[in-house]
Amino acid sequence: MSGLAGRFRELWDEIAPVGRDAGSGGYLRYALTPPELRLREWFREQADLRGMPVGGDGNGNLFAWWGDPPTDGPNTDGPAGTGAVLTGSHFDSVPHGGAYDGPLGIVSAFLAVDELRAAGVTPVRPVVVAAFVEEEGARFGVPCLGSRLLTGEIDADRAAGLRDAAGVSFAEALGHRPAGADPALLGRFAAFVELHVEQGRALVDADAPVAVASAIWPHGRWRFELRGEGNHAGTTRMADRRDPMLTFAFTVLAANKEARLRGAHATVGRVAVEPNATNAIPSTVTGWLDARAAEPDTLHDLVEAVQAKAAERARRDGTELTVTRESATPLVTFDGGLADRLAGLLAAPLLPTGAGHDAGVLAAHLPTAMLFVRNPTGVSHSPAEAATDDDCAAGVVALARVLEELACH
């Protein structure tokens, strides 16, 4: 294990400096910006070193093939069939995010291929390492954009027109209009297995280095736009104000309360204020609600309750409220037979997660599983996110065993 841990560290150190912010210690690897583009080039270099041809899907997703892709049409035989076994993750980060969220799955995939080759294992089905684009949605606002495009879960024209904070469209950043759904390519895959750092502390409590995912909570993003009357902070009487910031503040507190009452999660981590001046009452405040729950009905009730509370407060404040759902992901229950099979193979616990992943999108289209690697801090989307080299090596071993099980027998 120590030898593999050393090889992991050597490969990890090649990408660790890319996109790191010297001030926060976190990462600014937004999709299709120079740091993420450098990592995509690194992906091609690693594939070339292993003799794995790299192709794309016209949406920004990259695929490195170990073995020839099948040419006889879509595979319909599941993980025991003739189609390829897909693995990998993403490079992009949230603002000032952690190092492991995403890249760990790609580095581990290449090392798992190395482990199988070193053991003299030859797959009877191709193994494909993927790098999906814009998983976090931090630049263009829609999470898992690459996998949604591949599977047809988002319209290519809508995706092309998505814009970042500087007004750059996804099509402009990509260099062309995204191709959209690719049923032929998707049909070549028999299964997808995504390895990811755990975004919580369940594995610390279980004293286990690796787990298998059982489900992803349903979740989504809602934009709350509140409009009032911009005015002077020093001359406008309190009784005369139509201040959308008051409505917004009440909405944030309401989201926290309603989520706690339901055992759900609600977060408002992004806000835009106009005119954003210290001595001016805002004219518009826009906040984004991230809501998650274990069950779809709970999520629906949570969002409805927050909207109702915000609307009532807006009436009292003399402000106007518009709520727009920007994205929604249903409850994802990973292929039960596959998850149980892999948990038994690895003697690993089964864990649900509240975090979204490309695996959650692909699960609606092909048998899909996830592996989690222990995070000793339990913190994610933050520079405090961590994993030991030994645990990462254990993740590589687990992924190699899974790929051998699915692609080599």
Side-chain angles (χ1 to χ4, degrees):
M1 182 67 72
S2 59
L4 178 55
R7 291 192 295 277
F8 170 82
R9 174 49 54 183
E10 182 178 355
L11 202 58
W12 191 254
D13 284 346
E14 292 183 10
I15 68 169
V18 181
R20 180 187 286 150
D21 179 74
S24 70
Y27 286 85
L28 300 172
R29 294 169 170 170
Y30 302 131
L32 304 175
T33 62
E36 201 256 3
L37 292 172
R38 173 66 192 99
L39 292 177
R40 291 161 68 85
E41 185 59 34
W42 177 88
F43 179 94
R44 292 181 180 276
E45 292 167 358
Q46 293 300 315
D48 287 346
L49 287 172
R50 293 165 175 80
M52 300 171 67
V54 176
D57 63 351
N59 298 308
N61 302 316
L62 299 176
F63 302 95
W65 292 75
W66 179 25
D68 296 329
T71 58
D72 55 352
N75 171 74
T76 58
D77 298 324
T82 58
V85 178
L86 182 66
T87 187
S89 194
H90 63 95
F91 285 125
D92 63 300
S93 75
V94 300
H96 301 279
Y100 291 83
D101 182 353
L104 179 63
I106 297 174
V107 172
S108 298
F110 281 127
L111 288 172
V113 169
D114 293 346
E115 288 296 292
L116 293 176
R117 283 178 163 170
V121 174
T122 301
V124 296
R125 287 170 290 283
V127 172
V128 185
V129 179
F132 289 101
V133 71
E134 182 68 334
E135 191 270 353
E136 298 290 3
R139 183 175 182 189
F140 296 103
V142 176
C144 302
L145 183 58
S147 54
R148 290 181 195 273
L149 278 163
L150 171 65
T151 58
E153 292 195 11
I154 187 172
D155 179 75
D157 287 333
R158 182 196 166 200
L162 295 172
R163 295 187 180 276
D164 65 11
V168 178
S169 72
F170 178 66
E172 290 169 338
L174 191 61
H176 55 81
R177 178 188 178 277
D182 192 338
L185 176 60
L186 189 62
R188 293 177 177 179
F189 301 132
F192 177 49
V193 181
E194 181 174 4
L195 180 144
H196 203 279
V197 69
E198 187 193 8
Q199 295 171 296
R201 288 181 51 84
L203 282 173
V204 174
D205 296 338
D207 193 26
V210 177
V212 176
S214 58
I216 296 176
W217 282 14
H219 57 278
R221 299 178 182 185
W222 287 262
R223 185 175 73 249
F224 283 64
E225 186 175 5
L226 294 154
R227 293 174 299 281
E229 182 179 48
N231 213 327
H232 196 290
T235 62
T236 310
R237 296 185 306 176
M238 300 301 287
D240 294 338
R241 299 185 180 205
R242 296 172 51 228
D243 186 350
M245 186 62 78
L246 296 179
T247 317
F248 173 72
F250 179 87
T251 301
V252 173
L253 294 175
N256 175 70
K257 179 179 179 179
E258 297 298 330
R260 289 174 182 271
L261 289 173
R262 292 169 173 79
H265 294 170
T267 306
V268 180
R270 177 185 171 197
V271 60
V273 182
E274 297 177 8
N276 203 29
T278 304
N279 60 348
I281 299 166
S283 59
T284 304
V285 177
T286 304
W288 283 261
L289 170 69
D290 179 302
R292 305 167 190 249
E295 299 295 335
D297 288 347
T298 305
L299 178 62
H300 176 268
D301 292 347
L302 167 61
V303 176
E304 286 287 310
V306 176
Q307 289 189 56
K309 291 286 184 70
E312 171 58 26
R313 180 69 194 206
R315 285 190 290 270
R316 291 166 54 192
D317 293 334
T319 57
E320 298 176 5
L321 168 68
T322 300
V323 179
T324 303
R325 187 180 72 179
E326 291 194 339
S327 68
T329 301
L331 173 67
V332 175
T333 302
F334 289 113
D335 186 287
L338 180 58
D340 289 341
R341 176 180 168 192
L342 298 186
L345 175 72
L346 303 175
L350 280 162
L351 295 177
T353 178
H357 302 280
D358 290 309
V361 175
L362 290 167
H365 302 271
L366 69 159
T368 298
M370 286 194 73
L371 305 180
F372 293 132
V373 172
R374 178 167 49 194
N375 176 352
T377 68
V379 176
S380 188
H381 282 187
S382 159
E385 181 179 272
T388 68
D389 291 352
D390 284 339
D391 281 354
C392 291
V396 172
V397 170
L399 181 59
R401 292 187 66 188
V402 168
L403 295 178
E404 181 178 9
E405 174 76 10
L406 299 181
C408 301
H409 295 309

